[in-house]
Amino acid sequence: MNEPSQYVSQTLSQVMQTSFFECINNARIEAAKEMLRAGQCSILEVAMSVGFNARSSFYKAFKSRTNMTPSEFQKTMKT
């Protein structure tokens, strides 16, 4: 992008009303949802592959964004 990180962060905050961290986590959760739909990896493998370093932080971010745990999300995909 060739823009200072402070500029990008400020623009996200003002225009999209979200922080850089929230934007990244939202993208990670969307990628995780696709992987969970495919059902070819464990939840821990999904968490690690989308960039979370701990299962607990993945669960917290996932539940915050979707109002369900990754396991609950997987169950809804099977019905």
Side-chain angles (χ1 to χ4, degrees):
M1 291 181 69
N2 293 328
E3 296 292 338
S5 61
Q6 296 86 354
Y7 175 77
V8 173
S9 182
Q10 182 180 11
T11 301
L12 283 170
S13 180
Q14 290 175 348
V15 175
M16 299 179 72
Q17 298 173 347
T18 188
S19 70
F20 179 76
F21 178 75
E22 289 170 341
C23 187
I24 294 298
N25 267 358
N26 288 342
R28 288 176 175 165
I29 297 302
E30 288 305 311
K33 286 166 58 177
E34 290 301 315
M35 292 180 75
L36 291 169
R37 281 185 190 103
Q40 297 177 347
C41 299
S42 72
I43 293 174
L44 182 57
E45 289 172 324
V46 169
M48 297 297 154
S49 70
V50 299
F52 287 91
N53 293 324
R55 182 179 167 171
S56 60
S57 60
F58 173 63
Y59 267 75
K60 183 177 178 180
F62 195 94
K63 185 153 186 160
S64 173
R65 176 107 164 94
T66 65
N67 293 320
M68 62 180 84
T69 67
S71 300
E72 291 169 339
F73 181 82
Q74 274 187 321
K75 287 177 188 172
T76 64
M77 294 296 107
K78 292 180 182 178
T79 58

